[in-house]
């Protein structure tokens, strides 16, 4: 093992000591496969409201993030396993939050660990290296980077599959001016498996492509406006994200032996029910999202999602809170989805409220939903 290989392995060991389950090294180069996939995805309009995806074509090459970078170090943290209990709570009472968001905000956790890794690299090299920590929000095709760093391969669901780990991982990157030996790219495939495509309730998936406009994760997190009526019943009690395509993946059903990042797992009972979230105050909202990935959605998005989950529950016990929301919530967006929820649950009390709403509400969209 030459000096550069020895340095690479020291860095890998340092990263592993911080809790990263996989660490890989790749060149700073243009990723042709990712470039083609991204351009086709954008042409189809599959990015929906995510206009920022089209504004940064440079995401296919990481040099724009650190001009003198020579190596990209890709690191993965695990946030779940096949055996993690995802049914601790009554979902009709509390709703369902994707596993990646059940603990601390992974952006914060990942950034802190990569920042520590930078210090360890400087200690190992005895020099102040030039580097940049990248976590999700920077314009870079991180899953393509992970493939080139040998971390895993891209599944038909477009999730990254890490061998002997699965897809319940989050990624972070460290760009460095160090010239290090590269790992071999991972060229595995899903072969004939189509479990994710066949199970997606909204039909958002086709091989190696996700139509965000139909994806429950997109609808609950990225979409700011009205959620299409035909998709609402398919969302179930999901109020933030979705794990369906990952839950059915054979790679996540295997017995694995690796450590989940403790900060990314929540053992606390939820403190807010769906009714709480439907009528949540601005102060309670700020406290609820603090330090969590849920900060990505606004208070009105959260209430909108809660209204849909309540409607899908079919529980008559929710009618009173829905009526309160219909006539008092300041957001027309929330009132519109509240009216839909009342229709879903039904009953004379709900229908009487809808008749009143069709006359009294000053928003045309809300009135139309009440009819």
């Amino acid at each position: 093992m030459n000096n550069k290989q020895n340095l690479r392995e020291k860095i890998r060991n340092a990263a592993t000591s911080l809790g990263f389950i996989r660490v890989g090294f790749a060149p700073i180069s243009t990723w042709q496969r990712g470039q083609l996939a991204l351009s086709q995805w954008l042409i189809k309009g599959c990015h929906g409201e995510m206009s920022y995806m089209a504004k940064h074509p440079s995401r296919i090459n990481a040099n724009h993030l650190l001009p003198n970078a020579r190596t990209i170090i890709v690191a993965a943290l695990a946030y779940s396993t096949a055996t993690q209990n995802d049914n601790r709570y009554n979902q009709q009472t509390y709703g369902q939050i994707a596993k990646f968001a059940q603990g601390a905000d992974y952006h914060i956790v990942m950034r802190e660990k990569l920042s520590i890794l930078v210090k360890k690299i400087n200690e190992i090299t005895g020099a102040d290296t030039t580097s940049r920590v990248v976590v999700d929000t920077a314009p870079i095709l991180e899953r393509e980077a992970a493939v080139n760093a040998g971390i895993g391969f891209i599944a038909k669901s477009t999730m990254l599959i890490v061998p002997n780990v699965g897809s319940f991982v989050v990624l972070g990157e460290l760009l460095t001016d160090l010239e290090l030996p590269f790992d071999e790219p991972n060229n595995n495939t899903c072969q004939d498996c189509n479990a994710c495509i066949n199970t997606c309730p909204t039909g958002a998936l086709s091989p190696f492509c996700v139509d965000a406009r139909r994806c429950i994760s997109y609808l609950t997190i990225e979409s700011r406006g009205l959620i299409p009526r035909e998709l609402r019943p398919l969302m179930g009690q999901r109020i933030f994200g979705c794990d369906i395509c990952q839950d059915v993946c054979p790679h996540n059903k295997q017995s694995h032996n690796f450590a989940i990042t403790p900060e990314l797992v929540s053992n606390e009972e939820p403190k807010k029910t769906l009714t709480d979230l439907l009528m949540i105050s601005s102060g309670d909202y700020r406290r609820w999202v603090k330090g969590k990935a849920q900060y990505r959605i606004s208070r009105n998005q959260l209430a909108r999602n809660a209204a849909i989950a309540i409607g899908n529950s079919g529980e008559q016990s929710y009618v009173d809170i829905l009526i309160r929301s219909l006539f008092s919530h300041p957001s027309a967006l929330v009132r519109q989805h509240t009216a839909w929820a009342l229709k879903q649950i039904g009953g004379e009390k709900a229908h009487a409220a809808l008749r009143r709403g069709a006359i009294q509400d000053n928003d045309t969209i809300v009135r139309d939903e009440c009819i």
Side-chain angles (χ1 to χ4, degrees), residues 93-94 271-281 306 321:
T93 300
Y94 296 103
K271 298 178 181 179
K272 298 294 181 186
T273 64
L274 288 174
T275 55
D276 293 331
L277 298 178
L278 178 64
M279 301 299 293
I280 194 168
S281 68
I321 190 65

Side-chain angles (χ1 to χ4, degrees), residues 7-8 11 25 66 68-71 73 114-133 174-180:
L7 175 58
R8 179 190 64 183
I11 294 173
F25 300 77
L66 187 68
N68 61 336
R70 307 295 295 274
T71 306
I73 304 173
L114 287 177
S115 297
I116 295 173
L117 181 59
V118 171
K119 295 179 181 178
K120 287 182 175 290
I121 290 174
N122 290 340
E123 291 173 1
I124 292 170
T125 60
D128 289 331
T129 59
T130 302
S131 60
R132 177 172 177 177
V133 172
L174 180 60
L175 306 177
T176 176
D177 62 349
L178 289 173
E179 187 174 2
L180 299 166

Side-chain angles (χ1 to χ4, degrees), residues 12 24 51 53 56 63 71 105 108 171 197 203 213 221 236 239 277 329 350:
R12 200 193 308 270
S51 58
M53 292 298 297
H56 296 285
N63 267 128
T71 306
D105 181 3
I108 299 173
L171 298 172
I197 296 172
R213 296 165 297 185
I221 300 173
I239 60 172
L277 298 178
H329 204 287

Side-chain angles (χ1 to χ4, degrees), residues 186-207:
N186 190 313
N187 295 313
N188 289 336
T189 68
C190 293
Q191 299 181 345
D192 297 329
C193 180
N194 292 297
C196 57
I197 296 172
N198 296 335
T199 310
C200 178
T202 60
L205 296 179
S206 56

Side-chain angles (χ1 to χ4, degrees), residues 188-355:
N188 289 336
T189 68
C190 293
Q191 299 181 345
D192 297 329
C193 180
N194 292 297
C196 57
I197 296 172
N198 296 335
T199 310
C200 178
T202 60
L205 296 179
S206 56
F208 307 106
C209 180
V210 55
D211 187 341
R213 296 165 297 185
R214 300 188 65 85
C215 174
I216 294 174
S217 282
Y218 167 86
L219 294 172
T220 56
I221 300 173
E222 300 290 346
S223 176
R224 302 289 177 180
L226 297 173
I227 292 178
R229 289 187 182 93
E230 69 273 15
L231 298 181
R232 296 173 198 171
L234 307 176
M235 293 168 59
Q237 272 67 54
R238 294 174 182 84
I239 60 172
F240 190 90
C242 178
D243 289 320
I244 293 174
C245 63
Q246 298 190 83
D247 286 335
V248 300
C249 178
H251 291 276
N252 290 326
K253 292 181 177 293
Q254 301 171 7
S255 296
H256 300 311
N257 182 23
F258 59 87
I260 300 175
T261 307
E263 300 96 317
L264 301 182
V265 179
S266 173
N267 293 316
E268 296 182 3
E269 290 294 321
K271 298 178 181 179
K272 298 294 181 186
T273 64
L274 288 174
T275 55
D276 293 331
L277 298 178
L278 178 64
M279 301 299 293
I280 194 168
S281 68
S282 58
D284 283 345
Y285 164 78
R286 289 192 295 270
R287 284 185 286 271
W288 192 73
V289 302
K290 185 177 181 180
K292 301 178 184 177
Q294 286 90 315
Y295 79 92
R296 292 178 59 189
I297 63 174
S298 68
R299 180 163 64 112
N300 288 336
Q301 282 177 279
L302 178 61
R304 174 202 63 185
N305 297 346
I308 293 174
I310 288 172
N312 286 331
S313 74
E315 293 290 333
Q316 284 288 325
S317 59
Y318 283 121
V319 167
D320 287 341
I321 190 65
L322 288 173
I323 293 175
R324 178 185 166 195
S325 173
L326 181 63
F327 292 105
S328 67
H329 204 287
S331 167
L333 174 71
V334 177
R335 297 199 305 275
Q336 195 271 348
H337 289 82
T338 295
W340 176 87
L342 281 167
K343 281 184 179 180
Q344 288 293 104
I345 293 177
E348 182 53 39
K349 195 172 184 179
H351 290 142
L354 289 167
R355 288 192 292 270

